């Protein structure tokens, strides 16, 4: 049996097959894919395709699982806005009491629109903050700046002085730990542009502490994304804990450790138990914070976490319709109405996303590529994938596209961005309109 058929049968997520008429799970014949209690076929009919659909219940469940896993330590979850930044998603996450990790003035504007008071739980990360972004962040009263160079520290100091507003800073250190993930999303090695090498960080803290408008407050680290071996987090946090001790001995007040994001999800084995995964992650992160290996005591810090993918990744799916079937020299293609401009991950990282039909009537399978209409060979979602035989007009769901899906969309080929829908139980709400050609042309002269 093919990989996709095995996991679609067993997928215990917000996206499950149900009997379309009675809504029970009994009859395999003619079952249809639902998000919570809403039929995805009905959503595709109402809003068209390509369509991103997200599950409220799953996002909530993930946030709560994080809170449970880290309940033994004071902590704030600062959801990484870059993973999925649609206002309704941010509102849902803010409603659960979370803060945010932002990397641009634009992301901060989004958070402020959702809730002005959320700023006090915002951390600002990124290697290239501009003066105007720093000013907006200072005026909004954010919690922490994760500073990544001496030049950035100087610029922040001068703006904080001009505004007479103190800036709380953490230095983002580069722990020289391999994240063993895709090279484009690994960030914690010496050759990467991110962070400050640990031996150089003490100099930055000394500089910062001399400045009247900079307030040394923490140490931050982020080693990469889609990390599945949690021992990498333990290694990074061990180095950070050592640095916190050293800095405290030098008289710095270190209140926060920002452990970044990076916890991976199971794109290929969706049966994996998230509770287990998050527990292992928490154990790895907390190992050196609960009892320090040299000093034998609790580190006594407030932990900040910046998860993105692990909160929203599995909570989103991208619906698409088969436009054409095509065979070239015996090689089969399903040409769908969604393209690399809607979901870039397969083209950019060679990422795997499970693809399943919305209707699960028993049928033959075949080996096929699933490709989009864009004029590039790299415009594909699956290569040589075993899928049920699909006909023109049939609907497919590209799974686990809640993170780094809609946010990475572009207008390449003057294609409008997909519409987005948020499901909550039996209800569904359009949270972003489909972009039209006039939306795209509006700013041009
Ligand atoms: N904090 C910082 C400083 C980050 O740079 C990132 C992600 C996160 C938190 C959130 O990481 P997460 O928990 O989502 O792994 N476009 C790529 C992923 C890029 C991640 C960039 N930084 C992808 O589609 O796989």
């Amino acid at each position: 049996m093919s990989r996709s058929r095995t996991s679609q049968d067993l997928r215990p997520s917000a996206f499950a097959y149900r009997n379309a008429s009675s809504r029970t799970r009994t009859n395999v014949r003619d079952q249809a894919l639902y998000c919570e209690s809403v039929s995805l076929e009905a959503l595709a009919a109402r809003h068209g395709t390509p369509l991103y659909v997200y599950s409220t219940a799953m996002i909530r469940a993930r946030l709560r699982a994080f809170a449970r896993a880290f309940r033994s330590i004071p902590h704030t979850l600062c959801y990484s806005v870059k993973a999925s930044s649609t206002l309704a998603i941010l509102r849902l996450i803010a409603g659960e009491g979370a803060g945010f990790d932002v990397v641009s003035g634009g992301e901060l504007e989004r958070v402020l629109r959702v809730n002005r008071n959320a700023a006090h739980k915002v951390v600002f990360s990124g290697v290239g903050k501009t003066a105007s972004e720093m000013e907006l962040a200072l005026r909004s009263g954010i919690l922490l700046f994760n500073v990544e160079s001496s030049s950035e520290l100087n610029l922040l100091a001068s703006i904080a002085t001009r505004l007479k507003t103190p800036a709380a800073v953490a230095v983002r250190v580069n722990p020289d730990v391999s994240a063993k993930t895709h090279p484009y999303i690994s960030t914690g090695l010496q050759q990467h542009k991110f962070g400050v090498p640990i031996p150089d960080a003490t100099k930055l803290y000394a500089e910062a502490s001399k400045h009247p408008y900079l307030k040394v407050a923490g140490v931050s680290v982020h080693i990469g994304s889609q990390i599945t071996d949690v021992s990498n987090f333990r290694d990074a946090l061990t180095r950070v804990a050592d640095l916190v001790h050293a800095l405290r001995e030098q008289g710095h007040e270190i209140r926060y450790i920002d452990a970044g994001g990076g916890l991976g999800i199971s794109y290929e084995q969706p049966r994996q138990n998230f509770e287990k995964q998050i527990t292992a992650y928490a154990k790895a992160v907390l190992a050196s914070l609960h009892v320090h290996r040299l000093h034998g005591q609790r580190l006594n810090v407030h932990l900040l976490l910046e998860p993105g993918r692990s909160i929203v990744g599995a909570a989103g799916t991208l619906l698409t319709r088969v436009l054409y079937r095509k065979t070239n020299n015996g090689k089969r293609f399903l040409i769908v109405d969604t393209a690399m401009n809607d979901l870039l991950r397969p083209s950019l990282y060679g990422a795997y996303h499970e693809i399943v039909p919305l209707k699960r009537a028993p049928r033959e399978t075949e080996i096929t590529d699933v490709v989009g209409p864009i004029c590039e060979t790299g415009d594909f979602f699956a290569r040589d994938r075993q899928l049920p035989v699909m006909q023109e007009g049939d609907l497919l769901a590209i799974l686990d596209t809640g993170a780094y899906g809609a946010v990475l969309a572009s207008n390449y080929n003057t294609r409008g961005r997909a519409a987005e829908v948020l499901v909550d139980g039996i209800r569904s709400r359009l949270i972003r309109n489909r972009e039209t050609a006039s939306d795209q042309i509006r700013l041009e002269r």
Side-chain angles (χ1 to χ4, degrees):
M1 203 185 271
S2 76
R3 178 167 51 182
S4 67
R5 285 193 61 178
T6 309
S7 48
Q8 89 197 29
D9 286 343
L10 299 166
R11 167 172 283 268
S13 74
F15 299 93
Y17 286 101
R18 292 177 169 207
N19 186 288
S21 49
S22 66
R23 294 195 180 175
T24 62
R25 287 165 193 267
T26 48
N27 189 2
V28 173
R29 181 170 290 277
D30 293 330
Q31 281 193 335
L33 196 62
Y34 276 64
C35 175
E36 301 188 26
S37 300
V38 175
S39 150
L40 291 175
E41 280 185 309
L43 289 180
R46 188 173 328 142
H47 303 289
T49 50
L51 184 71
Y52 276 101
V53 181
Y54 309 97
S55 157
T56 298
M58 189 155 195
I59 293 173
R60 282 212 180 108
R62 295 264 160 134
L63 290 166
R64 290 174 189 179
F66 259 90
R68 276 196 303 279
F70 286 94
R71 65 179 177 267
S72 65
I73 187 168
H75 71 275
T76 304
L77 190 146
C78 297
Y79 164 74
S80 194
V81 172
K82 66 172 80 64
S84 172
S85 58
T86 313
L87 294 177
I89 302 278
L90 300 185
R91 202 170 293 125
L92 163 62
I93 291 170
E96 289 291 303
F100 297 95
D101 157 49
V102 301
V103 290
S104 70
E107 286 190 349
L108 180 54
E109 299 262 13
R110 282 182 177 274
V111 169
L112 296 174
R113 265 189 212 211
V114 163
N115 180 356
R116 284 243 139 228
N117 299 323
H120 72 276
K121 287 188 190 170
V122 165
V123 298
F124 193 174
S125 308
V127 286
K129 304 175 192 76
T130 65
S132 59
E133 288 174 327
M134 288 177 180
E135 182 163 341
L136 172 68
L138 276 170
R139 288 190 192 280
S140 334
I142 67 159
L143 177 68
L144 191 67
F145 286 86
N146 286 328
V147 170
E148 302 212 22
S149 67
S150 172
S151 305
E152 183 191 336
L153 193 72
N154 288 335
L155 179 60
L156 182 60
S158 71
I159 296 169
T161 307
R162 177 162 56 78
L163 299 180
K164 296 196 171 46
T165 307
V169 297
V171 174
R172 172 171 170 183
V173 296
N174 183 324
D176 199 22
V177 163
S178 164
K180 299 182 199 91
T181 182
H182 191 285
Y184 287 9
I185 55 175
S186 171
T187 56
L189 281 176
Q190 245 160 37
Q191 73 257 27
H192 297 140
K193 69 180 173 185
F194 299 98
V196 176
I198 290 185
D200 302 345
T202 20
K203 220 177 87 227
L204 253 73
Y205 282 99
E207 276 175 40
S209 66
K210 281 194 216 110
H211 205 286
Y213 280 99
L214 295 181
K215 230 176 115 16
V216 168
V219 177
S220 95
V221 72
H222 171 81
I223 55 171
S225 193
Q226 185 51 20
I227 298 167
T228 46
D229 176 357
V230 296
S231 69
N232 298 302
F233 295 109
R234 195 192 51 227
D235 294 349
L237 268 297
T238 303
R239 291 177 197 188
V240 167
D242 289 349
L243 177 63
V244 169
H245 267 289
L247 291 170
R248 282 179 173 169
E249 270 164 18
Q250 290 159 24
H252 297 292
E253 251 183 68
I254 304 293
R255 172 147 187 242
Y256 299 107
I257 286 183
D258 181 343
L263 178 63
I265 62 168
S266 320
Y267 288 101
E268 307 219 14
Q269 293 140 358
R271 274 186 299 154
Q272 267 190 12
N273 180 328
F274 184 69
E275 291 288 335
K276 252 192 179 157
Q277 220 181 325
I278 183 77
T279 307
Y281 170 69
K283 206 168 151 203
V285 169
L286 295 176
S288 47
L289 310 191
H290 273 333
V291 181
H292 190 264
R293 71 199 151 76
L294 300 178
H295 299 72
Q297 82 244 41
R298 216 182 155 90
L299 204 52
N300 204 5
V301 286
H302 186 108
L303 183 66
L304 303 173
L305 298 157
E306 303 174 356
R309 188 191 318 262
S310 53
I311 304 294
V312 293
T317 191
L318 175 56
L319 305 185
T320 185
R321 196 177 285 279
V322 177
L323 295 174
Y324 303 109
R325 291 180 58 87
K326 177 169 175 173
T327 308
N328 276 357
N329 290 327
K331 186 166 173 60
R332 281 188 280 265
F333 295 93
L334 287 178
I335 300 167
V336 297
D337 66 358
T338 297
M340 63 191 284
N341 77 296
D342 301 301
L343 174 69
L344 189 58
R345 302 193 73 255
S347 311
L348 189 57
Y349 313 112
Y352 176 90
H353 284 272
E354 191 177 354
I355 301 178
V356 297
L358 290 205
K359 258 210 173 86
R360 193 171 58 160
R363 42 183 143 183
E364 295 289 296
T365 64
E366 64 183 355
I367 305 276
T368 183
D369 280 17
V370 180
V371 301
I374 281 182
C375 312
E376 301 230 10
T377 303
D379 181 26
F380 67 90
F381 299 112
R383 286 190 155 151
D384 296 326
R385 185 81 61 91
Q386 184 158 15
L387 285 178
V389 176
M390 303 296 294
Q391 301 306 328
E392 295 176 357
D394 283 352
L395 288 160
L396 289 166
I398 309 176
L399 298 178
D400 302 315
T401 44
Y404 307 109
V407 285
L408 271 167
S410 77
N411 290 127
Y412 189 35
N413 283 202
T414 309
R415 290 172 53 89
R417 277 163 225 244
E420 294 174 59
V421 165
L422 181 62
V423 169
D424 186 4
I426 55 166
R427 285 171 312 177
S428 68
R429 197 156 55 87
L430 184 66
I431 58 170
R432 193 177 203 275
N433 290 326
R434 186 172 304 287
E435 202 175 21
T436 62
S438 7
D439 289 333
Q440 293 181 59
I441 295 163
R442 194 169 51 88
L443 300 176
E444 296 176 28
R445 320 186 48 141

